[in-house]
Structure formats: C-alpha cells, structure tokens
Amino acid sequence: MHHFPPSILRPRTLLSLLASAMLAACGGGDSGPLLKADRQPFPLVEATVAQFHAAMGQGDVSCRDVVQGYLDRIAAYDAEPSAAHPASPALRSVIAVNAAALARADELDRMFFGHGTMAGPMHCVPVLAKDNFDTADMKTTAGSLALANNQPPDDAYVIRKVREAGAIIIGKANMDEFAFGFTGSSSVGGKTRNAYIPDNSAGGSSSGTGTSIAANLAMIGLGTDTGGSVRVPSAVEGLYGLRPTLRLVSQDGIVPLAHGQDTAGPLCRAVQDCALLLDAMVGYDAARTSGQRTAKAWDAPLVANAQAYAQLTSRPASYAASLQAGGLKGARIGVVRGMFPTRTAANGAFLDTLQAALDAMRAAGAIVEDVDIPDRTTVLTSYASLSAYEFRDDLTAYLGSWSSSGDGHPRTTEAVADALATLEPTRVANFRIYVANGTNKEANPVYQNNLKPRDEFVLPRVLAALDNRDFASGAQRGAAYDVLMYPVLQGFNGSSVNSGSNNRLSAFTGFPAMAFPAGFTKASAASTSVEPVSMEMIGRPFAEPTLLRLGYGWQSIAAPRVTSPLAPELPRKS
C-alpha cells in the first residue's frame, strides 16, 4: 500500500500540485486527511483522476461520494424514463452495476481517511468495463441472453490489475453482442444511444463504454478492439481511445472474438487518465491465454517470463509520468491523405475540422507532411479480419476454461448457437455464420491468406511509410515519422456509423493506434447540435509512449472535448 505522499505518477506539473494538496491535507502520523462535514458535491462532469485525488486530499470528497454520484448518474441518464427520472435520455450504455461498489468505496475511505494510505495510483477511480471482461463479482454476458448466467470464477487479468491499482469496477458496459460489428446493440442491454445526438450511432463494439464515459457515468472505461471497437466508439463520442500494441495487454479472461487481433484498451475523456489506466493494465501474464507472444505471428511462442516481456515491450516505468504539455513540439507526423474521404458538399465541415487540427499541430511545433502507404488500397481492402474464422474455436476454449456446474453456462460455441435458436431467433443465423466459417479453418485458404501472407504484405509497407522510405528501392525520402495520421471515420456520424476501412490498419499490423477528438462541429447549417470529428494516429510496435505524448500535447493546446448535452451535472440533493 502507498503511504503519503502517495506515488501517483503524473505529468510533472500535475504531480507537484497533487502532492502539495495531499501533504497539506495530511498532518502526518497514522491518520489521513479529515473529511469535511460541510463539503459540497464534487462535480463529476468531465472530472479527471487528478482532480478527484486532489479533492480527496483536501477532504472535499470521499470515495463513497464519488461512487454514489456515478451510480446516481447511471440511474438518471442510462435507464428508461421513470417517475424518478422522467427526462432520462435512456442511453442504455450500462448492462449492470456492481452491488459491491459502495462497500468497496467504504473500505477505501477507511484506508485513506483513517490511515493516510492509498490502495494504489487508481485509488477509488470508478471504472466501467465492457461486459466481455470476466469479473468474479459480476456476470459476464457479452451482451447475449445465452450467457446471461455466465459467472466466471475469477477476474480477467486486466480487471485484477486495475483493482490492484485501487480502482473500483462500478459496473459492466453494453456492447455489440459478442463484439460483432459497430451497431452497439445487444439482447441483454438493447441498443446504446449516442451521448451527443441520441439517434446517432454509438459505434461499436465497445459502444456502452464509449457512451458511458462521454456522458460521465464513470471516470474511465475499458473496451476491447478487434478491428476498431475501441477507436470507433471513441470517435463518435469525442473520446481518447487507445488500441495498444497486440501482445502488450493480456487477453486472459476476456470473451474472445479473434485471438490474432483482440486486445483490451482504455477509453477516456483525458489523455492522462488513459495513460494511468494503461499503467495498471499492462504486465506479464503467465497464463497460456495471455496472447503475449514473442512475435506477432500467430504461431510464435509465448514470452517465457517477466524479463522477456519487459525486453519485448520496452515498457516505461510509467506511461503517465512521461506526458508533456509541449509533446507536439518537434514531432514528425505523416498525414495519409489517401485515407481521407473525397470532399463533397456534405463533408466539407468534417474535412475542414481535420485540417484545422493539423494546422494547429504544425503551429505547436510539429512537422506535418503528407505521405502515402505503398499499395495502400491492397493493404486496407484486400485482406479480411480474423474474427470470422477464429471466433468458433476461441469461444469454445473460453467457455470450457471453468466448470459450468455452478452457473450452467454453455461449454461450446455450438451450444451457444443452440441456445440462441430459442432465446434470440433473429440473431442465431448470423451467429451460425461465424460457427461455419470457423469450422476446419486450418483448411480454409481465405483464413490462411490472412495469417502469414497478410503479415508479409502489410507490415513492411506500413513500416516503410513510418520510416519515410521508398518501398521499392529502400531509399530514405527524409526523416522518419513518429506517427501516421488519418481520420477514424469517413464522414459525419449518423444512424449508422461510416467507418470505412481505416480502422483495419492497426488491427492488421498489430501496431498501436489512438483515436482522439480533432474537434466538434455541426454536420450541417440546419443542425442544432455539434458532434465529434476524430482522427487516429498509429505508431510502431510498443510506441504507446509516443501516442500518449502526442495526444497529451494536442489536448494541452486544443482542449477539444465538449460536454455531453444529454447528461449535465445532477442537481444537489436537498
């Protein structure tokens, strides 16, 4: 446990302010700061971890205050309208709340205010996790009625690590059922609504995480990304969403879609909170289902131990501590113009917002140049996601990893399909397509083409663009780029998300990518609401520090977030 002053790693200026506040509040000895009896409600809208911890250090807020505040917001804004909340926008972003959350909050308050200690750098940070992360204290449904009673015996590796850092899993977020697609709909949770324009798409498959964090129903969110499922909801909700390098984060205890592309990632309103969550998520996992392989290749062996993992990932001591407000200065950014949509009357404001962001980065000291990826169209459109082929065997392996005697969960993918035939007859046909594609996949030439042949074609071409080299000759065209940038989507959001194929670049390479808000603007002159316009940056393997540094630099100069109009601060209870 951490004693005062707590070791909460932050950008230097934030760290000094936080440490000063906590030291002032704590008089030393074995007792912590005094919790003020006359404290005012802590504002949760757009709250960051640093603001929350600083307020705790001054005795202005307790862990229970904050957890209860988010539970109140979920009741007010996520559920269907009721007598208590007749104006609820019914966001449908949360599948379930954690019945043990307040009891854990009380434990953390006794630790902090009674003894001056913190459970870790995420002390009492309320986190909403997509409902495909195993949680020992909550069911894990993946949005499906067939898994409504699915009770894993322990936490996913990521969940365990986040709890060990002091966070509270406040609930489980809605998602595209079994992470199929970008519609944001599940049989358990219904269709998630967008936090800015309710009838617009919430993206997917981490739709509930995206909407809930944009609407300030938790402080930070956890999602998963197989082919865009962190970045797309982040784009349509104006969030920072990081898909880490494949192999950095353990896949153990996450309902799988495709082991060759799956990874967990944070969705946050502030870059520094994404970095803090990533610090908690990463680490060596000895489980055979970790996915932490020595190379991207599907048949590469798992890393042998923590030392081998550290050498592979070049993990810094702290992602959060490496952030700098001037992070854009001197950064080299390659803009892939071929991944932008063609200008039309309908998308002019969308493209203008992207260009304004690039111009602002250049003004902040970044070198911004146009670049292309060799054979870009083939890279993005001539290969397929592994999800259609790996899901069947991966889900069966997951379901068979613990006994069903306690919860009666199905043990195979075929058993799930049989259950869906009765429980969800409108969804079973699509599910059976995944079952059929995954049967005897080793003999399927399409699947085989998307393993080694895909890697051999895609990886060197994307690296050539990052290195600023001519692909054919190998000649250097100029200094290498830190990242490549392009839009997440192909235009404004609507009732269905216009995702295009850009999201495949990170999924196919396994390289890390982060979606970030370029700004908010109106889709048309007649519109009364603004909506997010987002970009994505991709870096080399294990370049998460670079992505976070540039993202924090952008946040520092642009402050691009806009508060959700559907979920304002709740009035103070009398």
Side-chain angles (χ1 to χ4, degrees):
M1 288 187 289
H2 299 249
H3 290 260
F4 277 93
S7 177
I8 297 176
L9 297 174
R10 299 244 146 247
R12 226 175 234 107
T13 53
L14 289 175
L15 176 61
S16 61
L17 289 172
L18 181 58
S20 297
M22 289 188 163
L23 284 168
C26 180
D30 293 329
S31 62
L34 296 176
L35 184 62
K36 296 175 182 175
D38 60 346
R39 61 191 182 278
Q40 298 298 305
F42 178 73
L44 295 175
V45 171
E46 302 298 306
T48 66
V49 174
Q51 291 167 347
F52 167 42
H53 282 169
M56 281 189 74
Q58 295 288 355
D60 290 331
V61 65
S62 69
C63 184
R64 172 174 270 269
D65 292 339
V66 164
V67 171
Q68 185 63 63
Y70 282 121
L71 293 175
D72 290 345
R73 290 183 62 79
I74 291 169
Y77 297 126
D78 206 67
E80 300 300 316
S82 63
H85 302 290
S88 170
L91 295 175
R92 305 186 198 107
S93 66
V94 180
I95 279 180
V97 296
N98 191 343
L102 286 171
R104 179 56 177 159
D106 290 340
E107 291 176 359
L108 293 175
D109 275 339
R110 287 191 291 272
M111 182 184 298
F112 186 77
F113 294 106
H115 303 288
T117 61
M118 299 183 77
M122 294 188 69
H123 186 90
C124 191
V125 174
V127 175
L128 270 167
K130 186 177 180 179
D131 199 21
N132 59 351
F133 287 86
D134 282 357
T135 44
D137 53 357
M138 301 180 72
K139 290 180 170 58
T140 299
T141 73
S144 177
L145 294 175
L147 299 185
N149 294 319
N150 189 47
Q151 181 55 70
D154 53 12
D155 287 340
Y157 177 87
V158 167
I159 296 295
R160 176 171 64 82
K161 291 276 289 181
V162 169
R163 291 199 215 248
E164 287 174 354
I168 295 178
I169 304 300
I170 196 175
K172 305 295 281 291
N174 200 6
M175 58 182 285
D176 277 286
E177 191 161 333
F178 288 110
F180 295 168
F182 296 136
T183 63
S185 175
S186 77
S187 298
V188 174
K191 184 173 174 58
T192 304
R193 309 187 84 188
N194 187 285
Y196 291 91
I197 302 174
D199 291 336
N200 276 6
S201 172
S205 62
S206 306
S207 50
T209 308
T211 287
S212 64
I213 301 308
N216 294 277
L217 305 186
M219 201 161 282
I220 313 181
L222 274 169
T224 60
D225 190 310
T226 304
S229 293
V230 161
R231 293 159 292 146
V232 171
S234 294
V236 301
E237 303 285 7
L239 301 173
Y240 298 89
L242 177 66
R243 175 190 163 92
T245 306
L246 196 65
R247 302 174 287 141
L248 179 66
V249 177
S250 173
Q251 297 175 18
D252 184 62
I254 301 174
V255 181
L257 183 53
H259 68 264
Q261 290 179 195
D262 288 348
T263 185
L267 291 84
C268 311
R269 296 182 298 269
V271 176
Q272 63 270 28
D273 289 349
C274 275
L276 187 67
L277 182 54
L278 187 63
D279 274 331
M281 293 169 64
V282 301
Y284 169 67
D285 182 7
R288 61 180 179 81
T289 49
S290 70
Q292 294 176 333
R293 302 190 176 279
T294 56
K296 180 184 179 294
W298 65 276
D299 57 350
L302 294 172
V303 294
N305 49 47
Q307 181 180 4
Y309 171 84
Q311 291 173 344
L312 172 73
T313 61
S314 302
R315 176 187 166 191
S318 168
Y319 294 105
S322 64
L323 303 183
Q324 304 169 20
L328 285 168
K329 187 172 180 61
R332 291 190 53 80
I333 297 169
V335 180
V336 189
R337 293 287 177 183
M339 295 172 69
F340 285 57
T342 301
R343 182 178 285 271
T344 66
N347 69 11
F350 174 86
L351 289 170
D352 289 345
T353 302
L354 296 177
Q355 186 58 49
L358 293 171
D359 292 342
M361 291 177 192
R362 184 180 286 111
I367 295 91
V368 181
E369 300 174 348
D370 286 0
V371 67
D372 202 5
I373 297 170
D375 303 304
R376 171 178 35 81
T377 301
T378 302
V379 165
L380 292 175
T381 63
S382 294
Y383 294 96
S385 174
L386 300 178
S387 56
Y389 307 97
E390 295 185 344
F391 175 73
R392 172 186 175 268
D393 291 348
D394 288 355
L395 183 63
T396 291
Y398 165 82
L399 294 170
S401 64
W402 78 93
S403 170
S404 60
S405 60
D407 61 3
H409 73 272
R411 300 274 291 175
T412 67
T413 304
E414 284 78 5
V416 173
D418 292 343
L420 293 178
T422 301
L423 296 170
E424 303 176 24
T426 62
R427 294 182 186 264
V428 69
N430 183 56
F431 188 90
R432 288 195 191 279
I433 292 172
Y434 282 77
V435 177
N437 287 345
T439 302
N440 195 24
K441 65 180 182 297
E442 290 76 14
N444 188 321
V446 177
Y447 174 62
Q448 294 300 321
N449 189 51
N450 283 283
L451 295 176
K452 187 176 180 181
R454 189 181 80 180
D455 284 353
E456 289 178 340
F457 190 90
V458 172
L459 269 64
R461 285 164 172 81
V462 177
L463 281 172
L466 279 163
D467 293 344
N468 203 11
R469 286 184 289 104
D470 180 81
F471 182 71
S473 69
Q476 200 70 32
R477 289 172 168 163
Y481 297 110
D482 295 304
V483 296
L484 304 178
M485 276 190 191
Y486 43 86
V488 180
L489 307 180
Q490 289 299 294
F492 284 111
N493 189 22
S495 57
S496 60
V497 68
N498 185 7
S499 62
S501 58
N502 290 358
N503 51 75
R504 296 179 175 184
L505 198 59
S506 176
F508 285 0
T509 59
F511 295 179
M514 186 167 74
F516 64 95
F520 283 68
T521 192
K522 293 183 178 181
S524 68
S527 175
T528 58
S529 303
V530 296
E531 59 180 285
V533 175
S534 293
M535 286 234 268
E536 181 173 318
M537 54 179 144
I538 188 170
R540 293 170 181 77
F542 307 109
E544 283 78 7
T546 300
L547 300 183
L548 292 165
R549 174 173 55 85
L550 269 58
Y552 189 71
W554 168 245
Q555 176 183 284
S556 300
I557 66 164
R561 279 280 304 158
V562 170
T563 301
S564 164
L566 304 181
E569 205 76 63
L570 287 174
R572 182 177 182 178
K573 294 180 180 179
S574 56

